[in-house]
Amino acid sequence: MTTGIGARVPRKEDARHLKGKAQFVGDIKVAGCWEAAFVRSPLAHARIRGIAKPAGREAQVFTAEDMADLRPIRCESTLPSYKVSDYPALATGKVRFAGECIAICIAPTRAEAEDLAEAVAVDLDPLPPVPDIATALAGDPPLLHEDWGDNLFLTTRHDGDLDEAKARAAVVIERSYETARQAMNPMEGKGVLAQWDHRAEQLVVHTSTQVPHLIRTGLSEALGLDQSDVRVIAPDVGGGFGYKCVLQPEELSVAWVARRTGRAIRWTEDRREHLTAGANTRQHSYKLTAYADAEGRLLGLDADIWVDVGAYSVWPFTACLEAAQAGGNLPGPYDLGAYACRTYSVATNKPGFTPYRGVARPGVCFAMELTMDAIARAVGKDPLEVRCLNLVPGAAMPFTNVTGKFYDSGDYPAGARAAAKLIDAEGFRARQEAAAAEGRYLGLGYASFTEQSAHGTKVFAAWGLPLVPGYEQAMVKLAPSGAVEVRSGNHSFGQGLETTIAQVACDWLKLDISRVKVTMGDTGLTPYSTGAYASRGMVMAGGAVSKAAEELARRLRIHGAHLLQCAPEDTEIRDGAVWNGQASVDFAAIADAWYLHPDRLPEDVNTAGLEVTEGYKPEIDTGLFTYATHAAIVEVDPESGRTEILDYVIFEDCGRRVNPMILEGQSYGGAAQGIGSALFEETLYDASAQPLTSTLADYILPGPAELPGFRLGHAETLSPYSRHGIKGVGEGAAIAPAGAIVNAINNALAPLGAELTRIPATPHRVLDAILDARAAREAAE
Ligand code: MCN
Ligand code: SMO
């Protein structure tokens, strides 16, 4: 069986996970390691009058005053109107959200560190809080960053001329949409362990991250150390989902204290810290006006998008990634005529935004897909037909859309039709009618989207961010035993890269995956990589491994040919050996010749040996666009407001699939998170910006009982612009569920005239929509 590209290989990493032998930050044992706990602000907005350390324990407590030499997290961008926030590791002068770190306490155990944290007295002078966008933008609001003059991190505009669309429009759809604030909830929270290595003269930081090399860059800049004085190791990571691709203030404090005290220090995020202080994302408000002709063809779209991004910009993506991406991605997979959009990244007294699987697109897909259905209802057509009328067809590829996005390949309407077929949309009508006859409410909904993956240099450079991802390097080496070693500075944190980059190497070197050892995530052992986010891991790390493995294969054939006494052109690689006709020399013999018996090789042998480092970037910077349509059938109980998902299909095209089994897992997991957004998950704050959802009893995650048996379909349109035609897809399945499910709910409730425009679609909101529709009907009668 081949274990190369396209094989359904079980994941290499699963054995250690299933046996409980994996090593997360919390599993690492270091002699003399102390644990850290943070004193966190009880108020959302306040001036710090004073901090009193407990008497006799001063040496175990550190505040911003102690860390005067530590630079704050400062994320610049050259976008016009962007305002920079200084995000200190420990609050300085003022606190800007409940849960912000004020002091770090260290002790031999976490329990002792927490006791110490409770004994620290913080004197706060409350300031009026900014709990939401309305307060932030009201006349003369309290200011988070006084020198700004307002509470806006950034506004962006896309100006388009809508006059013709307005003049020609047969229908005009105006809607407001809201998506909830959320937390990512990876199984493993954030964790960091820092220690000074006297022998290497390095700060060694084990941290639960998707981006080890980036964290090294960020830490060394903030600490004022040379990058070579810092080694970052990401061990096993129990999920990241975007939360773990930014530099966190706790990482800075722990690193600083370890350096100052000379002691190993660890902090392990607990669930309450995660839910209240760390992970905030997703909260968007939309006001859309869509202009369409009588057939349902979109002529123009006008949009305002507000994003409640919290108090501080995260490094290196800023607080504005969501809104800027939302403005650029709202048109989605559609060829819409004219487009105008304004976005507002609004500062509030909440934790700063971090990216979350799909970044902005779950919100824009929800808004756009509900609008498509509203157009379909207005022109009296099937929502699938209206979609197909507007989706970019295969014949138009490659296609540059209205915001300048370059759709590299695929056939979007064909994908939507395939999803409809898979869910048996035709048969559904009869099913819906039969259910209606029994007084039951069934609905079918679609959502289509594109996922810009592995977008790189020019896209990020245009935002003027401190980090512009570019070339990715990887090393592939023939080990003395004849096995293969792959080293990548990217990381595997659940999405399976550890297995799939090995598969890419197997593809060139034609050996079984059990013979490939993968080392990732250690800046001391791997070439620079900006890491895995924006669904770039497979394309970038896979591309670099592919190039390096190809070159190693070429060198192996040269060495093998010499040992076989033939020309390299007359050889081929298979079964872990170089062959010339019936004669072969296996990799172990080639390795033996290079490492231990170079006398068997010619004098003019390539001295670069059997260790190859190559770099890679796709031929275009604008990204490879994966696309998909999700379709859901739901039943809504109008008495309780409960929604049950009866069927759910995903039809997706991510180019060449490296491991179809892993991809199924990516779809299931992503869609589960999307269903969380659609029906359950919501981080709530009260009017004083106090978090209300601080446990998993308040913040509702979907479990197996709430999830449907997903059914999947695939097309495999190779991208002409990436190695092997691969496109990224890790975020995709999280993008569409809210659109598909709420469209299905609205389809089910159409006989009652109810329409939901807000997620999560909790029973309470469903009932409200039904009651609102009834009240409107009665008022009209
Ligand atoms: N893959 C494949 N063939 C392709 C594309 C991808 O087989 N054509 C597989 C690869 O195994 C790859 C995985 O799918 O590892 C996702 O690939 P890719 O789209 O390149 O995404 P990244 O490797 O960059 O992973 C990050 C991405 C993002 S941005 C988020 S957020 C997310 C996601 O992946 N976080 C995850 N999926 C996750 N899955 C898990 N279990 N945990 C997370 O934290
Ligand atoms: S949110 Mo994924 O790490 O781009």
Side-chain angles (χ1 to χ4, degrees):
M1 184 189 96
T2 165
T3 53
I5 294 175
R8 303 175 73 88
V9 188
R11 300 198 312 179
K12 285 173 85 65
E13 54 270 44
D14 284 349
R16 65 177 187 274
H17 287 301
L18 293 171
K19 289 181 194 152
K21 302 282 185 209
Q23 193 175 52
F24 299 91
V25 172
D27 296 317
I28 298 170
K29 300 222 172 356
V30 177
C33 178
W34 278 19
E35 306 288 332
F38 287 91
V39 177
R40 293 180 180 274
S41 175
L43 295 179
H45 201 191
R47 218 163 280 292
I48 303 174
R49 280 215 214 97
I51 306 168
K53 298 181 185 179
R57 315 286 293 276
E58 289 86 350
Q60 287 169 254
V61 179
F62 304 89
T63 66
E65 216 168 279
D66 301 308
M67 296 186 182
D69 57 335
L70 180 66
R71 284 180 221 147
I73 297 172
R74 193 179 160 83
C75 193
E76 311 266 357
S77 158
T78 55
L79 287 175
S81 94
Y82 174 79
K83 300 193 197 85
V84 184
S85 63
D86 276 341
Y87 189 1
L90 296 174
T92 310
K94 185 172 150 160
V95 289
R96 294 184 177 84
F97 65 89
E100 185 169 352
C101 296
I102 293 179
I104 177 172
C105 304
I106 55 166
T109 64
R110 172 69 173 246
E112 290 165 281
E114 287 190 4
D115 286 350
L116 200 52
E118 278 193 11
V120 174
V122 182
D123 184 8
L124 294 177
D125 187 11
L127 292 166
V130 179
D132 51 32
I133 291 173
T135 312
L137 300 183
D140 202 18
L143 296 178
L144 270 89
H145 303 275
E146 281 83 1
D147 53 330
W148 286 11
D150 60 21
N151 289 317
L152 281 164
F153 272 100
L154 177 73
T155 53
T156 65
R157 316 178 53 93
H158 180 96
D159 290 318
D161 184 355
L162 290 163
D163 288 349
E164 197 191 323
K166 286 180 189 171
R168 286 178 49 208
V171 292
V172 178
I173 302 292
E174 282 185 88
R175 288 288 186 284
S176 294
Y177 302 107
E178 303 263 340
T179 66
R181 205 171 192 80
Q182 283 190 243
M184 301 77 176
N185 281 297
M187 278 205 270
E188 181 214 21
K190 184 79 188 177
V192 53
L193 192 168
Q195 66 193 114
W196 188 262
D197 180 333
H198 289 276
R199 186 169 154 266
E201 295 182 343
Q202 265 185 333
L203 183 71
V204 178
V205 181
H206 284 82
T207 186
S208 182
T209 185
Q210 302 167 223
V211 291
H213 285 269
L214 272 189
I215 297 301
R216 179 171 72 150
T217 302
L219 277 178
S220 52
E221 280 177 11
L223 292 162
L225 291 172
D226 195 88
Q227 289 213 21
S228 59
D229 296 336
V230 180
R231 175 174 173 193
V232 170
I233 302 168
D236 276 312
V237 173
F241 306 116
Y243 177 54
K244 294 178 184 167
C245 69
V246 299
L247 180 65
Q248 287 191 211
E250 293 89 347
E251 261 165 338
L252 279 183
S253 289
V254 167
W256 185 92
V257 173
R259 189 157 173 252
R260 168 59 58 98
T261 60
R263 195 179 260 300
I265 305 288
R266 169 175 26 219
W267 168 68
T268 313
E269 180 186 65
D270 65 26
R271 196 54 63 178
R272 185 181 154 85
E273 287 179 301
H274 181 80
L275 287 168
T276 59
N280 266 230
T281 187
R282 287 268 200 274
Q283 192 172 6
H284 298 191
S285 293
Y286 294 80
K287 198 170 170 303
L288 297 193
T289 309
Y291 303 93
D293 69 15
E295 295 298 308
R297 183 154 241 306
L298 259 175
L299 304 171
L301 184 66
D302 191 31
D304 287 285
I305 306 173
W306 293 266
V307 184
D308 178 341
V309 299
Y312 297 107
S313 255
V314 295
W315 187 93
F317 299 115
T318 79
C320 307
L321 185 70
E322 282 275 318
Q325 283 240 52
N329 281 291
L330 182 64
Y334 301 108
D335 173 11
L336 58 86
Y339 178 59
C341 178
R342 296 143 305 271
T343 76
Y344 313 89
S345 298
V346 184
T348 58
N349 288 120
K350 296 175 191 164
F353 250 40
T354 51
Y356 178 29
R357 203 171 192 173
V359 182
R361 288 155 293 187
V364 296
C365 176
F366 173 68
M368 194 67 196
E369 291 305 299
L370 263 68
T371 304
M372 293 310 287
D373 270 37
I375 293 172
R377 284 194 294 275
V379 300
K381 273 189 156 181
D382 186 300
L384 178 70
E385 292 315 315
V386 169
R387 274 186 180 74
C388 290
L389 201 59
N390 290 289
L391 286 165
V392 177
M397 292 292 177
F399 178 87
T400 303
N401 89 340
V402 69
T403 58
K405 303 237 177 279
F406 181 76
Y407 296 159
D408 57 299
S409 58
D411 189 334
Y412 300 173
R417 289 198 194 284
K421 191 153 185 263
L422 201 55
I423 205 155
D424 187 21
E426 278 186 23
F428 173 72
R429 296 290 158 230
R431 221 174 129 190
Q432 192 176 31
E433 277 167 28
E438 296 171 8
R440 292 165 55 211
Y441 293 82
L442 265 57
L444 165 62
Y446 301 97
S448 304
F449 67 93
T450 55
E451 177 186 4
Q452 185 175 17
S453 76
H455 38 303
T457 309
K458 287 189 184 119
V459 175
F460 283 80
W463 295 333
L465 296 182
L467 144 91
V468 175
Y471 297 87
E472 176 99 5
Q473 279 97 48
M475 195 264 267
V476 180
K477 161 181 168 177
L478 187 70
S481 63
V484 166
E485 280 181 32
V486 173
R487 291 182 185 214
S488 157
N490 218 304
H491 205 40
S492 202
F493 40 87
Q495 89 280 37
L497 216 46
E498 188 174 329
T499 299
T500 41
I501 60 172
Q503 286 181 255
V504 173
C506 292
D507 211 64
W508 287 105
L509 298 166
K510 313 287 181 210
L511 77 176
D512 189 79
I513 196 163
S514 60
R515 303 283 290 150
V516 181
K517 183 183 187 66
V518 177
T519 302
M520 298 181 90
D522 182 338
T523 64
L525 300 176
T526 61
Y528 198 88
S529 157
T530 58
Y533 51 88
S535 303
R536 68 191 294 279
M538 191 71 254
V539 170
M540 302 300 302
V545 168
S546 172
K547 276 182 74 179
E550 182 183 15
E551 170 60 15
L552 178 62
R554 195 184 69 82
R555 291 188 200 166
L556 289 177
R557 287 174 65 198
I558 294 172
H559 287 220
H562 182 80
L563 296 172
L564 291 166
Q565 299 187 350
C566 67
E569 307 80 74
D570 296 333
T571 63
E572 64 166 323
I573 288 184
R574 82 184 124 83
D575 302 332
V578 174
W579 293 78
N580 170 245
Q582 297 300 311
S584 71
V585 49
D586 67 16
F587 288 175
I590 295 175
D592 182 71
W594 169 254
Y595 290 105
L596 304 176
H597 296 97
D599 50 302
R600 293 180 189 155
L601 295 171
E603 281 299 316
D604 63 349
V605 66
N606 180 350
T607 53
L610 299 177
E611 184 172 311
V612 185
T613 300
E614 276 285 350
Y616 174 72
K617 176 159 97 75
E619 286 163 49
I620 47 171
D621 279 334
T622 45
L624 298 321
F625 282 82
T626 284
Y627 61 97
T629 294
H630 290 207
I633 292 177
V634 303
E635 174 162 3
V636 185
D637 176 356
E639 299 299 321
S640 67
R642 271 199 49 158
T643 299
E644 193 185 342
I645 303 170
L646 303 180
D647 199 3
Y648 199 102
V649 309
I650 301 175
F651 190 90
E652 184 168 67
D653 181 350
C654 64
R656 186 89 166 98
R657 290 182 292 156
V658 178
N659 187 325
M661 185 196 70
I662 288 182
L663 286 169
E664 286 165 12
Q666 287 293 295
S667 291
Y668 300 151
Q673 288 179 308
I675 288 170
S677 305
L679 296 174
F680 303 103
E681 296 182 43
E682 188 164 22
T683 304
L684 294 168
Y685 285 83
D686 73 9
S688 54
Q690 282 293 329
L692 300 177
T693 40
S694 59
T695 72
L696 288 178
D698 311 302
Y699 185 94
I700 310 299
L701 288 168
E706 285 76 35
L707 297 173
F710 298 102
R711 296 189 296 123
L712 311 176
H714 293 278
E716 215 167 14
T717 316
L718 305 197
S719 174
Y721 305 100
S722 69
R723 231 171 142 86
H724 308 288
I726 296 169
K727 305 179 191 181
V729 71
E731 296 166 275
I735 294 174
I741 288 169
V742 177
N743 274 336
I745 292 174
N746 287 342
N747 180 240
L749 298 182
L752 303 175
E755 184 183 339
L756 264 95
T757 52
R758 191 166 174 190
I759 46 172
T762 53
H764 190 94
R765 292 203 175 106
V766 170
L767 289 180
D768 274 352
I770 294 172
L771 293 176
D772 286 350
R774 188 183 301 162
R777 229 176 15 250
E778 284 166 5
E781 273 161 14

